[in-house]
Amino acid sequence: NRGISINIGAYIGLNKIVESVLGSSKRKVNLSEVSEIKKIIHENMIDGALGLSNSSDKLIKESMTPDELIALADVVAKYGGRYSAFVRGNKKEIQTAIRETVRVSKEANIPTDIVNLEVTDESFFGKIEEIIKVLDKHRESGELLTMTQARYLA
């Protein structure tokens, strides 16, 4: 009669917050908008969010700098949250996204997950070991990084 309980944890979706702040405008965020995004993240963390999720898509790349992402991750880190980055693309895009994600992790001092790593460049297929070596190097220096790989061809 007691049944099974379901536990659900949610991350804050950065894309949706940026969309709500910028509307249909395609441009860089300004200081006031970064403050507004930080406030929304703060409120969500108080409400129990596990952390901040970033799909690293075109909207985020075009509207935010890595320094602004670090500032947002700082808010999450104050609550013991995590930074989660969905990384996909060709070899150059993957390498750039991983460098940026590692930088956010290190500078915000926040546990970070690279989720569903998806390589779309056939010349880079089967070379996950290269990425693992980079992440291992950072883990050895004390950074809290994990990674999962998409197990399908998109």
Side-chain angles (χ1 to χ4, degrees):
N1 282 351
R2 293 179 67 186
I4 299 173
S5 65
I6 298 174
N7 296 308
I8 298 174
Y11 279 77
I12 306 158
L14 182 57
N15 278 33
K16 290 300 176 190
I17 295 173
V18 172
E19 284 175 3
S20 73
V21 170
L22 291 182
S24 61
S25 182
K26 306 288 185 220
R27 59 176 173 75
K28 294 280 186 199
V29 293
N30 60 42
L31 285 175
S32 170
E33 290 161 337
V34 170
S35 293
E36 184 177 347
I37 293 168
K38 287 167 88 172
K39 181 178 181 251
I40 293 168
I41 291 170
H42 164 78
E43 291 167 355
N44 278 267
M45 292 304 294
I46 287 174
D47 287 343
L50 297 175
L52 182 64
S53 174
N54 176 8
S55 69
S56 301
D57 73 354
K58 189 175 179 179
L59 171 66
I60 301 303
K61 290 176 187 171
E62 291 179 353
S63 63
M64 303 194 88
T65 67
D67 288 334
E68 289 162 337
L69 288 173
I70 292 163
L72 301 180
D74 277 337
V75 175
V76 175
K78 288 177 184 164
Y79 293 93
R82 302 182 71 83
Y83 179 66
S84 179
F86 181 66
V87 175
R88 65 188 173 283
N90 64 37
K91 182 178 179 178
K92 184 178 181 191
E93 291 167 334
I94 292 275
Q95 291 170 325
T96 300
I98 287 176
R99 273 193 305 275
E100 181 178 280
T101 302
V102 166
R103 181 176 169 216
V104 170
S105 176
K106 184 175 185 172
E107 293 187 28
N109 194 29
I110 187 170
T112 299
D113 306 308
I114 296 172
V115 295
N116 281 352
L117 177 72
E118 182 182 317
V119 178
T120 59
D121 183 347
E122 289 185 28
S123 72
F124 204 51
F125 284 4
K127 304 212 175 159
I128 192 69
E129 293 84 14
E130 292 177 32
I131 295 169
I132 291 171
K133 284 179 186 176
V134 169
L135 296 178
D136 281 346
K137 183 181 113 191
H138 289 283
R139 282 193 286 262
E140 287 169 8
S141 68
E143 293 164 52
L144 297 172
L145 290 163
T146 60
M147 182 194 77
T148 61
Q149 181 180 12
R151 56 184 197 103
Y152 56 87
L153 294 176

